[in-house]
């Protein structure tokens, strides 16, 4: 069956540009997470949605980062005025619902390179 | 917040030998501990997980042990094969809707 998909898979941006990263979770999955994975590091939490509600955005590194999930399915992570330190792989994960076994299924990630 | 430490950062074993990766966590409220395998350029994939109400779980060649008192858990891979070569991440979580806090990863190389 279809897993979590993300687009684009690769994005190169010039410093100062805005970017938008898309996540399509597994159909019916209530919970959606965004993580940032720097080279050689483990994923680090950015933000969490339950349906369309953003319940936790404590991991967003600055107000340049914004995420939304307006209809409770597809989510977009937007980064404004990109900086070189934003270069990383951005991973999206979804899980069925908060009361389930809770396994998080990851997408393939978007590799963002800021020049 | 939760802090997860993982050791070693790199591990090289001969094919057929066992590999052990260890993690510690700081928040005693954490109750779910998954292990993910990530091949180069690929997505993290869950290989095994354990909840705080059990001390050990096994699935074929892989097993995980949990010591709640000491707040540490370990991944054991027996009879390693070259296809086990990857980066392995441990993680901890407090509730099924909460975020995962990951360790820094262990790069496992299995020598043929």
């Amino acid at each position: 069956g279809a897993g979590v998909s993300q687009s684009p898979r690769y994005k190169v941006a010039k410093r100062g540009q805005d970017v938008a990263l898309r996540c399509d979770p597994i159909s019916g999955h209530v919970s959606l997470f965004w993580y940032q994975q720097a080279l050689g590091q483990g994923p680090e939490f950015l933000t969490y949605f339950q349906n369309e509600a953003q319940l936790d955005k404590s991991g967003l590194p600055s107000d340049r980062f914004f995420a939304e999930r307006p209809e409770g399915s597809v989510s977009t992570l937007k980064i404004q005025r990109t900086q070189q330190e934003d270069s990383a792989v951005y991973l999206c994960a979804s899980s069925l619902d908060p009361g389930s076994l809770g396994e998080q299924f990851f997408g393939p990630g978007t590799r963002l390179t800021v020049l | 917040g939760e802090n997860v430490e993982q050791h070693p950062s790199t591990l090289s074993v001969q094919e057929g030998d066992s590999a052990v990766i260890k993690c510690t966590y700081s928040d005693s409220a954490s109750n779910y501990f998954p292990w993910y395998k990530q091949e180069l350029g690929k997505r993290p994939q869950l290989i095994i997980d354990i909840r705080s109400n059990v001390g050990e779980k096994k699935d074929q060649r892989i097993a995980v042990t949990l010591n709640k008192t000491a707040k540490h858990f370990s991944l054991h891979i027996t009879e390693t094969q070259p296809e086990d070569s990857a980066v392995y991440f441990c993680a901890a979580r407090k509730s099924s809707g909460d975020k995962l806090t990951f360790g820094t990863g262990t790069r496992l190389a299995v020598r043929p």
Side-chain angles (χ1 to χ4, degrees), chain B residues 20-37:
Chain B
V20 180
I21 303 170
K22 299 181 179 182
C23 289
T24 60
Y25 61 100
S26 61
D27 192 338
S28 56
S30 290
N31 60 7
Y32 173 68
F33 307 93
W35 286 88
Y36 284 85
K37 175 183 180 182

Side-chain angles (χ1 to χ4, degrees), chain A residues 4 9 33 35 37 40-43 45 48 56 91 98-104 106-108, chain B residues 32 36 38 41-44 46 49 51 89 93 95-105:
Chain A
V4 179
R9 291 294 315 279
F33 301 81
Y35 294 87
Q37 187 174 24
Q41 300 295 315
F45 170 78
Y48 161 57
D56 187 349
L91 293 165
S100 74
L101 290 175
E103 177 182 349
Q104 291 186 20
F106 281 83
Chain B
Y32 173 68
Y36 284 85
Q38 188 174 31
K42 300 287 182 65
R43 72 189 74 195
L46 181 73
D49 56 15
R51 299 178 190 282
F89 292 98
R93 190 183 67 193
S95 69
S96 60
D98 202 1
K99 59 184 179 285
L100 291 171
T101 300
F102 285 85
T104 49

Side-chain angles (χ1 to χ4, degrees), chain B residues 1-64:
Chain B
E2 175 66 277
N3 182 51
V4 177
E5 295 191 355
Q6 181 171 350
H7 300 279
S9 57
T10 60
L11 180 59
S12 180
V13 300
Q14 193 70 37
E15 182 177 0
D17 287 350
S18 295
V20 180
I21 303 170
K22 299 181 179 182
C23 289
T24 60
Y25 61 100
S26 61
D27 192 338
S28 56
S30 290
N31 60 7
Y32 173 68
F33 307 93
W35 286 88
Y36 284 85
K37 175 183 180 182
Q38 188 174 31
E39 297 179 43
L40 189 62
K42 300 287 182 65
R43 72 189 74 195
Q45 292 200 306
L46 181 73
I47 56 171
I48 195 167
D49 56 15
I50 191 167
R51 299 178 190 282
S52 59
N53 57 346
V54 298
E56 184 173 0
K57 183 176 178 181
K58 190 173 182 180
D59 183 4
Q60 299 182 356
R61 295 188 297 109
I62 58 173
V64 56

Side-chain angles (χ1 to χ4, degrees), chain B residues 57-74:
Chain B
K57 183 176 178 181
K58 190 173 182 180
D59 183 4
Q60 299 182 356
R61 295 188 297 109
I62 58 173
V64 56
T65 59
L66 171 65
N67 183 326
K68 284 179 59 180
T69 303
K71 295 207 281 286
H72 67 70
F73 56 113
S74 300

